């Protein structure tokens, strides 16, 4: 594993879940961190914890990635302080499970603003300097939902399909600039994501035994930082499933119908 000591790493959605776990692992390996999220209180608590344990620099700033002007302002402030970014982890995101005909337009727009447009906006703020330095790593937290669509997640799945399309195109664009671009596609993770996504608790109850732990997902991500890793698919057994789905979608949907209807 490449050393992360002294690397400058920005993590969005760092106030909890895999974002916070990624921050802890990076700090343990000597990286300097910029923690971004809407909940500044949680960020400050995490900042104090990390700085008390490790001899690193930690910045914590409030940011709603759905606000393009706020993204410009906060990233400009951050870059003036740390000068350059080695790794950007686009982790901010959320989902709401609803049938397509029940999805509310304002929630649809917000999901796209956070999961897609916000991710693109943050990326655009660090890319010019990465290209100039000919070094950097963009890590986009997508989802298995971006590979295999399921009922009651049409909007969320659409946002993650968009993230994967953007990530794959970006990877080709910056290949000659020595910039790495990685998509992370986890299955369900045991975080507070489902407090919003699955208000009835049906999905969590049905898939609880298959849920990934955030510490495990974070470790897989951090272990591949500053490496030319195209995708991280978790759990690993889901990867063959997404390949089969792309080759034989009708068959996959027919025989997988019972499994898909877990929400």
């Amino acid at each position: 594993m490449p050393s992360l000591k002294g690397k400058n790493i920005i993590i969005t959605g760092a106030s909890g879940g895999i974002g916070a776990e990624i921050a802890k692992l990076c700090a343990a390996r000597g990286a300097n961190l910029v923690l971004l999220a809407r909940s500044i209180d949680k960020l400050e608590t995490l900042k104090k914890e990390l700085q008390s344990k490790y001899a690193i620099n930690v910045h914590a700033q409030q940011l709603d990635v759905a606000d393009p002007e706020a993204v410009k302002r906060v990233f400009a402030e951050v870059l003036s302080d740390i000068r350059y970014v080695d790794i950007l982890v686009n982790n901010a995101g959320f989902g709401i499970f609803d049938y397509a005909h029940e999805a509310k337009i304002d929630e649809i727009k917000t999901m796209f603003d956070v999961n897609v447009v916000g991710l693109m906006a943050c990326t655009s703020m660090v890319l010019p300097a990465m290209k100039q330095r000919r070094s950097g790593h963009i890590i986009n937290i997508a989802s298995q939902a971006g590979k295999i669509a399921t009922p009651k997640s049409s909007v969320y799945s659409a946002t993650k399909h968009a993230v994967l399309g953007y990530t794959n195109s970006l990877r080709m664009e910056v290949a000659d600039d020595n910039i790495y671009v990685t998509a992370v596609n986890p299955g369900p993770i045991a975080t507070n994501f489902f407090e919003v996504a699955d208000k009835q608790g049906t999905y969590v109850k049905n898939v609880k035994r298959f849920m990934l732990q955030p510490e495990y997902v974070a470790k897989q991500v951090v272990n591949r930082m500053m490496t030319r890793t195209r995708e991280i698919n978790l759990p690993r057994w889901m990867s063959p499933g997404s390949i089969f789905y792309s080759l034989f979608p009708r068959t996959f949907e027919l025989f997988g119908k019972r499994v898909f209807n877990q929400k």
Side-chain angles (χ1 to χ4, degrees):
M1 294 178 291
S3 173
L4 297 181
K5 187 174 179 60
K7 298 293 186 184
N8 293 332
I9 302 175
I10 297 180
I11 306 169
T12 68
S15 59
I18 62 173
E21 295 303 324
I22 288 172
K24 293 174 184 177
L25 289 175
C26 290
R29 298 189 188 185
N32 300 311
L33 301 173
V34 177
L35 309 177
L36 305 176
R38 291 184 300 173
S39 178
I40 189 62
D41 292 341
K42 291 180 180 179
L43 290 183
E44 290 292 349
T45 299
L46 180 58
K47 174 182 175 180
K48 291 177 182 178
E49 175 189 342
L50 297 180
Q51 287 188 321
S52 68
K53 291 182 178 180
Y54 311 106
I56 60 172
N57 296 319
V58 182
H59 297 259
Q61 287 194 239
Q62 188 174 41
L63 175 64
D64 180 356
V65 299
D67 183 345
E69 293 305 315
V71 170
K72 291 180 182 178
R73 174 177 51 77
V74 170
F75 270 79
E77 292 174 3
V78 167
L79 292 172
S80 69
D81 288 336
I82 66 174
R83 297 186 315 153
Y84 63 87
V85 180
D86 292 294
I87 303 168
L88 168 66
V89 182
N90 282 309
N91 172 66
F94 80 104
I96 297 175
F97 295 156
D98 274 322
Y99 289 111
H101 69 283
E102 296 176 343
K104 300 176 180 62
I105 295 298
D106 59 335
E107 292 179 346
I108 293 172
K109 292 181 67 176
T110 303
M111 260 189 277
F112 271 93
D113 286 343
V114 174
N115 296 359
V116 183
V117 180
L119 177 147
M120 294 176 177
C122 292
T123 302
S124 69
M125 293 301 297
V126 303
L127 269 181
M130 284 186 176
K131 289 172 71 70
Q132 187 175 25
R133 295 180 66 239
R134 295 187 57 78
S135 176
H137 194 170
I138 306 292
I139 300 176
N140 293 332
I141 308 299
S143 171
Q144 285 293 329
K147 288 175 165 279
I148 303 175
T150 58
K152 282 192 78 175
S153 61
S154 56
V155 178
Y156 178 70
S157 182
T159 66
K160 294 305 182 178
H161 273 75
V163 168
L164 285 179
Y166 175 76
T167 304
N168 293 337
S169 179
L170 178 63
R171 185 184 300 109
M172 291 185 282
E173 286 184 15
V174 301
D176 293 336
D177 297 306
N178 199 40
I179 298 172
Y180 306 143
V181 180
T182 301
V184 182
N185 304 307
I189 307 172
T191 68
N192 60 7
F193 170 89
F194 293 102
E195 293 177 7
V196 175
D198 181 38
K199 294 178 181 178
Q200 296 179 341
T202 307
Y203 183 65
V204 171
K205 181 180 178 181
N206 290 335
V207 303
K208 191 172 183 178
R209 65 186 183 278
F210 299 117
M211 279 193 166
L212 299 163
Q213 294 303 309
E215 299 86 355
Y216 170 76
V217 177
K219 185 177 180 180
Q220 303 309 306
V221 174
V222 175
N223 282 351
R224 291 167 176 80
M225 285 181 169
M226 299 308 294
T227 68
R228 197 179 294 276
T229 300
R230 187 178 188 279
E231 288 188 345
I232 302 172
N233 294 291
L234 302 170
R236 292 185 178 91
W237 59 263
M238 278 192 172
S239 188
S242 63
I243 295 172
F244 188 87
Y245 182 45
S246 65
L247 294 173
F248 309 103
R250 185 174 299 179
T251 302
F252 194 91
E253 290 173 359
L254 178 64
F255 289 98
K257 185 175 181 180
R258 183 177 177 182
V259 176
F260 294 158
N261 284 283
Q262 297 291 324
K263 302 184 184 72

